[in-house]
Amino acid sequence: MQRERHFFMSNTEKITGMGAIPHAGGVAFRVWAPHARQVAVVGSFNAWDGTSHPMHAEENGYWYADVAQAKIGDEYKFLLTTEQGALSRIDPYAREVTSSVGNAIVHDAQFDWEGDDFRVASWNELVIYELHIGTFNDEQKLNLPAHFSSVSARLGHLKKLGVNAIQIMPVGEFAGDRSWGYNPSHIFSVEIAYGGPTAFKQFVKRAHQEGIAVILDVVYNHLGPSDLDLWQFDGWSENGRGGIYFYNDERAHTPWGETRPDYGRGEVRQYLRDNVLMWLEEYHVDGLRFDCTQFIRTVNGTDHELPEGWNLLQWINDEVARKFPGRITIAEDLMNNRWLTKDVGAGGAGFASQWDAMFVHPIRLAVVTPADEQRSLAAIRDALCYRYNDDAFDRVIYSESHDEVANGLQRVPQEINPDDPKGWHARKRSTLAAAMVFTAPGIPMIFQGQEFLEGGWFRDTVPVDWDQCEEFRGIVRLYRDLIRLRLNHNGFTRGLCGQFTQVTHLHEERKVIAFHRWDKGGPGDDVVVVANFYREAQENYVIGFPTQGTWTLRFNSDWQGYNDDFRNHPSTDVGAEPGETDGLPCYARLSIGPYSVVIFSQ
């Protein structure tokens, strides 16, 4: 395992760190360029003169200079003399840039957090809202992507909705002004079109003040591939590939270009690890979601293992757990690999949780399939009960994410009824999927606008339609009510935060499934969820209950208050009587509307 690099001269201690390091006497600069013959730092402080501030060679290919004339706010670059000629490069560790192809800026990392000591909720009490900064609340009249400040203006909506964590798609500086964010040009700098680094800190601070954690999506399976100054950074490369920061053989290849970082090279490993710790320390983010980890741990995304990639994930997760206890790391792997969420000490990668393909695909298929007879309740049962290891919350469950509503896929309402995505069928069955998300064991997540039936498919040029938030305010309330139950706000649905699930009833012909959720069990804890995946109501329907007595109806998705044309089916409290049913000691008769969910507790 590597340790933080410290640099010393024979008589004078040098300043530690990489990139531009402001201090009382100026700015120190350090860069790794092992194949450069000479390196100079040029910038607005020396009229971009390559002879004014040559850098001195250190061990292992590092170069250093301390420039008294430089100050915070100055623009700069590194000028490398190489066998390929003179190369002007943006600092790989630049905390701020003028643009993806511009200059680095000496950034002031100091920020008044006003005592921010926010702590993210425990995994079993997390509710995540995924959003894309550029489209969440953009300036339509100006045709500009959203700014962190404009997204902050919507935090009140998210707080009222009840989510306690937002997961934002990548904000590292990328090519152009509009992007999903998965093409990072400068991973230490925050996208200037969104407001840059200080605006991001202000955004995190504001979210924390609203009681909302911030989880950031990061991309380490590839870099760029465009506007990438790291490419052949110091002139050296092999096989026409990327040079010191990248693999220079077949391991370089990814679906996004031949820009996979060299996970086996110490300086590159340090570069990625330092980036992780920067987000957690300097930006106070509460967790990180690692994009496409299957292309970090394998060469081809399936079976050609890349041991140094796996070891890198272990090292980073171990560092995060030790230095930032309570922060969450989430893997997007989608290959059903339980070792991702096993502890590092047990040989796992050490992630706290991972996106779960075993949930999203069967649940989504269950509601978008046109014919009721073709829905598989057995597949729904398996999705509800699946777990990777001994913790039900080591998976993130959802029916919509940025990947599931793009790349040829639509939003769930659109998939259900392309001709009428706001109609009764689309509303009823999409909210049926949402109810499964919030009642199943796992960390629930929704995607931006899902709570008001955002339609079409996700594009980085199309803003969220906030007019629909008012038009479908009843659906918003449905989501809010589900989240309140999920988080046990009223003290009688603790079981939805619990580890335990038992599917007690499954009727393939009538398309009814019922399951029992609990933590410790008993009144205020035991929850019974009944879902009707059929177009007609179910009357006088018998299912088993854990104990006898009155079971209070806490939620009915067919309530007319959620939409005027919901049928307001007269589901009511039920009285459970002794009599073994569905493997439980008691039973009750209930009624449930079409494509509806009812939730009971004592």
Side-chain angles (χ1 to χ4, degrees):
M1 184 175 291
Q2 295 178 326
R3 299 184 181 275
E4 185 175 353
R5 181 174 296 274
H6 292 268
F7 301 84
F8 296 91
M9 292 180 66
S10 55
N11 298 317
T12 305
E13 182 176 340
K14 293 186 178 181
I15 294 171
T16 63
M18 294 294 296
I21 310 110
H23 59 90
V27 180
F29 296 89
R30 181 172 284 109
V31 66
W32 177 56
H35 297 93
R37 295 174 177 174
Q38 293 179 330
V39 181
V41 57
V42 297
S44 52
F45 46 81
N46 62 14
W48 304 93
D49 179 8
T51 64
S52 295
H53 294 102
M55 302 182 76
H56 305 289
E58 299 180 317
E59 295 179 357
N60 303 318
Y62 289 87
W63 299 80
Y64 177 85
D66 196 353
V67 180
Q69 296 91 329
K71 64 185 184 302
I72 289 169
D74 282 343
E75 297 182 17
Y76 71 100
K77 277 190 171 182
F78 295 121
L79 185 63
L80 284 62
T81 301
T82 76
E83 291 185 358
Q84 309 303 320
L87 301 174
S88 178
R89 298 299 196 208
I90 300 174
D91 179 6
Y93 277 83
R95 294 299 202 271
E96 187 175 358
V97 295
T98 58
S99 74
S100 59
V101 291
N103 299 321
I105 299 173
V106 178
H107 177 66
D108 183 4
Q110 299 299 313
F111 181 78
D112 184 5
W113 287 100
E114 298 185 73
D116 174 51
D117 60 352
F118 183 85
R119 293 293 180 268
V120 63
S122 58
W123 307 164
N124 69 320
E125 295 179 345
L126 271 179
V127 174
I128 299 175
Y129 188 101
E130 186 190 15
L131 65 84
H132 174 250
I133 294 294
T135 57
F136 192 60
N137 193 29
D138 76 349
E139 299 289 345
Q140 297 183 51
K141 294 181 180 179
L142 301 177
N143 195 30
L144 296 173
H147 190 282
F148 289 117
S149 60
S150 63
V151 176
S152 293
R154 297 289 184 182
L155 288 174
H157 165 79
L158 300 179
K159 182 178 182 180
K160 186 176 181 181
L161 187 63
V163 300
N164 54 21
I166 53 176
Q167 179 181 299
I168 61 176
M169 292 166 67
V171 300
E173 184 71 30
F174 49 72
D177 289 341
R178 288 192 180 272
S179 167
W180 289 24
Y182 298 96
N183 55 331
S185 298
H186 305 283
I187 63 174
F188 280 82
S189 184
V190 176
E191 173 58 39
I192 197 68
Y194 294 166
T198 301
F200 184 38
K201 292 175 183 177
Q202 291 167 341
F203 173 77
V204 174
K205 178 180 172 182
R206 173 75 181 278
H208 286 174
Q209 290 169 344
E210 296 288 354
I212 299 173
V214 178
I215 300 169
L216 178 64
D217 211 336
V218 290
V219 185
Y220 301 132
N221 49 64
H222 75 288
L223 300 175
S226 59
D227 293 4
L228 196 59
D229 256 25
L230 291 183
W231 185 261
Q232 299 180 358
F233 184 78
D234 63 359
W236 174 86
S237 68
E238 290 181 343
N239 304 314
R241 289 192 165 96
I244 58 174
Y245 278 93
F246 305 96
Y247 286 113
N248 286 263
D249 53 26
E250 68 279 358
R251 293 172 294 177
H253 181 72
T254 76
W256 310 279
E258 295 191 339
T259 59
R260 192 196 315 262
D262 185 344
Y263 307 130
R265 191 160 191 170
E267 294 83 358
V268 180
R269 292 167 64 86
Q270 187 80 26
Y271 179 67
L272 299 176
R273 172 264 194 191
D274 288 350
N275 186 247
V276 165
L277 299 188
M278 178 197 75
W279 295 121
L280 297 169
E281 183 173 1
E282 296 181 23
Y283 288 87
H284 286 209
V285 301
D286 304 286
L288 299 170
R289 179 265 197 190
F290 286 60
D291 181 66
C292 287
T293 53
Q294 70 268 38
F295 285 99
I296 297 176
R297 62 181 181 82
T298 73
V299 174
N300 59 359
T302 54
D303 56 355
H304 185 176
E305 293 185 359
L306 193 54
E308 57 263 40
W310 182 266
N311 178 261
L312 174 69
L313 295 174
Q314 290 181 310
W315 178 41
I316 288 175
N317 279 317
D318 185 63
E319 287 267 286
V320 171
R322 288 190 301 103
K323 295 185 176 182
F324 300 94
R327 311 285 180 97
I328 189 169
T329 58
I330 301 170
E332 185 219 15
D333 200 86
L334 302 177
M335 300 298 289
N336 310 324
N337 186 331
R338 64 182 63 249
W339 286 94
L340 284 163
T341 46
K342 282 184 180 289
D343 292 339
V344 171
F351 285 98
S353 195
Q354 62 176 306
W355 280 22
D356 186 19
M358 299 297 284
F359 184 91
V360 60
H361 298 313
I363 294 298
R364 194 175 172 105
L365 182 61
V367 298
V368 304
T369 297
D372 291 343
E373 294 72 18
Q374 295 177 353
R375 306 187 203 288
S376 170
L377 265 64
I380 296 172
R381 174 200 60 205
D382 293 345
L384 293 172
C385 297
Y386 189 82
R387 61 171 66 196
Y388 287 96
N389 297 297
D390 294 329
D391 187 347
F393 299 95
D394 68 356
R395 64 175 188 159
V396 176
I397 56 177
Y398 52 93
S399 60
E400 292 193 2
S401 73
H402 70 271
D403 278 331
E404 296 297 331
V405 299
N407 294 324
L409 298 173
Q410 308 271 11
R411 293 293 191 114
V412 170
Q414 195 98 22
E415 289 272 332
I416 292 170
N417 192 339
D419 296 326
D420 189 11
K422 310 303 180 187
W424 184 84
H425 278 273
R427 282 182 271 115
K428 289 295 294 182
R429 300 212 305 261
S430 67
T431 53
L432 190 57
M436 295 298 97
V437 169
F438 288 111
T439 57
I443 300 174
M445 182 182 76
I446 61 175
F447 185 57
Q448 63 180 28
Q450 183 177 344
E451 71 277 21
F452 46 79
L453 302 178
E454 181 73 3
W457 64 91
F458 171 69
R459 288 155 289 176
D460 55 34
T461 56
V462 178
V464 169
D465 184 358
W466 282 97
D467 290 340
Q468 290 188 187
C469 186
E470 175 61 25
E471 181 182 357
F472 296 105
R473 60 186 180 276
I475 302 297
V476 176
R477 181 172 180 176
L478 181 150
Y479 275 81
R480 185 169 72 245
D481 289 349
L482 282 169
I483 292 170
R484 290 181 64 83
L485 290 170
R486 174 65 179 75
L487 295 178
N488 193 32
H489 280 189
N490 293 322
F492 42 65
T493 52
R494 175 65 190 174
L496 295 180
C497 296
Q499 288 282 350
F500 304 107
T501 305
Q502 180 185 15
V503 174
T504 56
H505 183 93
L506 189 155
H507 198 304
E508 284 287 6
E509 291 183 3
R510 296 183 69 174
K511 302 302 176 188
V512 174
I513 188 170
F515 52 99
H516 174 205
R517 296 274 285 113
W518 74 99
D519 180 21
K520 295 180 174 61
D525 190 309
D526 283 315
V527 176
V528 172
V529 181
V530 186
N532 179 15
F533 282 80
Y534 195 62
R535 61 184 173 271
E536 296 178 1
Q538 310 281 353
E539 305 283 2
N540 205 29
Y541 197 92
V542 177
I543 68 163
F545 278 80
T547 56
Q548 69 181 63
T550 299
W551 285 78
T552 303
L553 179 69
R554 307 297 184 182
F555 174 83
N556 175 12
S557 66
D558 201 42
W559 180 49
Q560 206 164 35
Y562 295 141
N563 206 273
D564 290 343
D565 66 355
F566 284 10
R567 299 179 185 178
N568 213 28
H569 191 80
S571 301
T572 62
D573 299 348
V574 298
E577 302 176 5
E580 185 173 343
T581 306
D582 298 331
L584 296 173
C586 302
Y587 73 95
R589 298 179 183 275
L590 57 86
S591 295
I592 181 172
Y595 300 137
S596 298
V597 171
V598 289
I599 301 174
F600 299 94
S601 72
Q602 289 188 308

